[in-house]
Amino acid sequence: MDTAAGEEGLPAGWVRARLGELGTWYGGGTPSKRRPDFWADGTVPWLSPKDMGEDVLSETQDKIHESALEESPVRLVPANSVALVVRSGILERKVPVALVPFPVTLNQDMKAIYPHKGIDARWLAWVIRSQERFILDSCRKRGTTVASLEIPWLMDVELSIPPLAEQHRIVAKLNEQIAHIETGEAAARSALAGSVRLAEHVTGQGACGALGDEDRFPADLAVADADDGDLPALPKGWHWSRLGEIAAVVGGVTKDSKKQSDPAYVEVPYLRVANVQRGNLVLDNVTTIRVPLAKAEALRLEKGDVLLNEGGDRDKLGRGWIWEGQVDDCIHQNHVFRARVIGEVIHPTLLAWHANSFGKSWCERNGKQTVNLASISLRKIKLLPVPIPPQELQEQLVKDIEGHLENVRVGQAVAEGAFAQAQELRAALLRTAFTGALVPQDPADEPASVLLDRIRAEREAATKAPRKRAPRKETRKPAPPGQEELPQ
């Protein structure tokens, strides 16, 4: 076959190859937290999923000490590697990929590829992004609590490889076009963030009676073991209570893996933190758990229950929404609190709006922070201050706030449409780039089949090359007593 013509179905000079063939792969790990010296005065970048927000990495939040490279399994990844997330909740929707232009170490949820000679690292990062949907559909592990990728399956993903010179041309054209798309994405993203802030402001102010022009009076609430901050003034007839006074608040079930096969247990669906978002519930992936029948009955959710998260990132504490009976016999895990209003003292929607606005900053102040996670205790969440309107006003208040929110949603829908259009343009651009239609082919380019043969030959030679043994240390037998060498 004429290699310059390319493989069947590919542009001239292109060839197919597996992702695993294109570079040296690196895994990650976490230096022991029991060794404070590994984390003090760190200078070596340590990359984790939370750092992967840009196409080209500019820095990492964490750095480790050089000694961790010698005394822990952490390896240094060379500059101009391509890093990707292989274990994280974010893999439910995307595969973060970034070019890393400086040496870095990885945590255990990351992998990196250092491309072989003949593979442009920038091109490799873009082509992996172009395969994001296929990777998510075909490389996801099944039955794991945290979304993860099967590394052997990932390495087997087949890519179409252009000649090196064409890789450079593709990257240059992509960078030019993506810059225009990113401008549109940034504007749409800013508008979306503004609409979220406006919705939070409307619901927060509305739940405290601040959308009208009524006279307002200073807060009157007994001091408790909590940092309440400055409580907003309330209209006449309103008063402050604490969550534990107006609702029955309970924690959920803790999974006991050892008893999941107990025949006396019953299997029921249960909500995790990922299901409970700020202002909505995500129920497309509700898992099940086996629990004692009494526990299932005690924790069964009822319409009107307000769900609030116990842990996660600090700004996500207390986020939640209202259960509307979407899944029969559903319960909740221990990291999700259930607040069931007592005697209809407050409309559940008002409580949820208040928890997602005022409660956000209150939980940040009153939560606890560990190395990786924040949490708020059941005892503490019961102390959340809640504004209580007169009963006869509550239904109309909910309708008024909903009316304001409808106007916000109109603007939000426009911003979402603009963002979706920018995403579609990006996807179309990547499809064009990696099917050979973005830049012209040059018959003078060295065919990709030649560079791939060279890569394979070099790998084979490296595999067969004998390993160099460390130089042997010279040992000397001790001299007999009385014959020791005298100092010169």
Side-chain angles (χ1 to χ4, degrees):
M1 181 182 71
D2 180 5
T3 55
E7 290 187 10
E8 184 178 353
L10 294 180
W14 290 43
V15 69
R16 292 185 178 88
R18 295 183 307 106
L19 179 57
E21 296 182 87
L22 303 184
T24 302
W25 286 65
Y26 291 80
T30 300
S32 174
K33 300 292 185 180
R34 297 179 181 178
R35 291 285 302 272
D37 54 308
F38 285 171
W39 298 91
D41 303 319
T43 59
V44 181
W46 186 67
L47 180 64
S48 62
K50 66 178 181 291
D51 300 311
M52 299 285 285
E54 300 179 357
D55 293 339
V56 179
L57 194 72
S58 58
E59 61 180 342
T60 63
Q61 293 187 30
D62 300 300
K63 292 180 172 61
I64 60 175
H65 194 270
E66 291 179 359
S67 60
L69 297 175
E70 302 170 0
E71 302 178 48
S72 76
V74 179
R75 299 171 64 195
L76 191 64
V77 179
N80 290 319
S81 293
V82 176
L84 63 158
V85 177
V86 295
R87 183 179 180 275
S88 169
I90 200 171
L91 293 172
E92 298 283 355
R93 60 186 186 279
K94 67 176 298 184
V95 181
V97 179
L99 176 68
V100 185
F102 47 82
V104 69
T105 56
L106 311 171
N107 92 337
Q108 64 276 7
D109 298 327
M110 305 288 303
K111 291 288 183 185
I113 314 165
Y114 180 59
H116 293 311
K117 186 178 180 181
I119 301 297
D120 187 323
R122 300 166 302 167
W123 174 87
L124 181 59
W126 279 117
V127 76
I128 294 173
R129 293 186 195 107
S130 76
Q131 295 295 310
E132 178 178 78
R133 180 43 50 194
F134 177 80
I135 289 171
L136 289 176
D137 291 343
S138 64
C139 300
R140 279 278 305 274
K141 286 185 178 179
R142 306 303 174 197
T144 57
T145 303
V146 179
S148 306
L149 300 179
E150 288 279 9
I151 304 307
W153 298 353
L154 179 64
M155 295 175 74
D156 270 341
V157 169
E158 192 175 69
L159 304 174
S160 300
I161 317 297
L164 178 59
E166 190 170 346
Q167 293 176 33
H168 297 332
R169 294 195 297 273
I170 289 172
V171 168
K173 194 67 174 178
L174 275 175
N175 287 342
E176 174 190 328
Q177 297 296 323
I178 289 292
H180 297 303
I181 293 174
E182 285 178 342
T183 300
E185 286 177 335
R189 194 178 287 112
S190 176
L192 280 172
S195 67
V196 170
R197 288 192 299 270
L198 181 57
E200 192 173 292
H201 176 78
V202 166
T203 55
Q205 293 292 97
C208 289
L211 293 181
D213 55 2
E214 301 95 335
D215 292 334
R216 302 169 66 77
F217 300 90
D220 182 16
L221 182 66
V223 175
D225 181 23
D227 179 2
D228 292 330
D230 295 326
L231 295 179
L234 298 177
K236 184 178 181 180
W238 292 50
H239 68 276
W240 285 96
S241 290
R242 296 198 182 271
L243 181 61
E245 297 170 346
I246 56 102
V249 189
V250 298
V253 65
T254 301
K255 187 171 184 177
D256 188 342
S257 300
K258 296 180 180 178
K259 293 187 177 182
Q260 288 303 292
S261 58
D262 191 324
Y265 280 28
V266 295
E267 186 173 23
V268 292
Y270 81 124
L271 299 186
R272 300 164 293 135
V273 169
N275 300 121
V276 183
Q277 301 293 312
R278 193 178 300 281
N280 68 296
L281 301 178
V282 179
L283 303 176
D284 53 351
N285 184 20
V286 177
T287 58
T288 60
I289 188 172
R290 294 181 63 82
V291 295
L293 178 59
K295 179 72 72 173
E297 293 175 346
L299 295 179
R300 184 180 294 118
L301 295 173
E302 297 179 3
K303 289 183 180 180
D305 287 344
V306 177
L307 301 166
L308 305 169
N309 280 340
E310 172 266 352
D313 296 335
R314 198 166 188 84
D315 65 343
K316 294 180 176 60
L317 296 184
R319 75 178 183 188
W321 195 236
I322 306 155
W323 181 250
E324 296 175 345
Q326 298 95 322
V327 180
D328 291 339
D329 299 321
C330 193
I331 65 173
H332 53 107
Q333 73 167 173
N334 58 311
H335 297 303
V336 176
F337 298 128
R338 182 196 75 196
R340 183 169 293 165
V341 175
I342 300 170
E344 299 183 352
V345 65
I346 186 172
H347 196 295
T349 305
L350 292 174
L351 174 57
W353 280 336
H354 175 70
N356 284 327
S357 51
F358 173 90
K360 180 179 178 181
S361 57
W362 187 90
C363 287
E364 286 184 30
R365 290 196 303 273
N366 290 278
K368 296 186 298 183
Q369 181 74 52
T370 60
V371 175
N372 296 317
L373 294 174
S375 63
I376 190 163
S377 68
L378 177 61
R379 183 190 70 83
K380 191 70 78 172
I381 197 70
K382 288 180 178 181
L383 299 178
L384 172 70
V386 180
I388 310 297
Q391 184 69 40
E392 64 273 12
L393 298 181
Q394 293 187 22
E395 285 289 346
Q396 187 59 48
L397 182 59
V398 170
K399 291 179 181 178
D400 291 344
I401 296 173
E402 280 288 358
H404 288 290
L405 282 180
E406 192 56 40
N407 295 329
V408 175
R409 292 186 188 112
V410 171
Q412 186 175 7
V414 173
E416 287 174 345
F419 187 74
Q421 186 177 26
Q423 294 286 84
E424 289 171 5
L425 284 173
R426 176 186 285 256
L429 180 65
L430 292 181
R431 283 194 300 271
T432 302
F434 298 110
T435 54
L438 184 64
V439 298
Q441 280 76 50
D442 186 343
D445 292 342
E446 178 186 71
S449 58
V450 176
L451 76 84
L452 193 62
D453 287 343
R454 187 163 54 243
I455 288 172
R456 288 167 175 166
E458 289 173 357
R459 289 180 60 198
E460 186 176 353
T463 303
K464 292 181 178 179
R467 294 184 180 179
K468 293 183 178 180
R469 293 186 178 181
R472 210 174 189 182
K473 291 184 179 180
E474 184 179 350
T475 57
R476 298 179 61 183
K477 293 182 179 180
Q483 297 185 24
E484 296 89 347
E485 184 175 341
L486 297 175
Q488 301 294 316

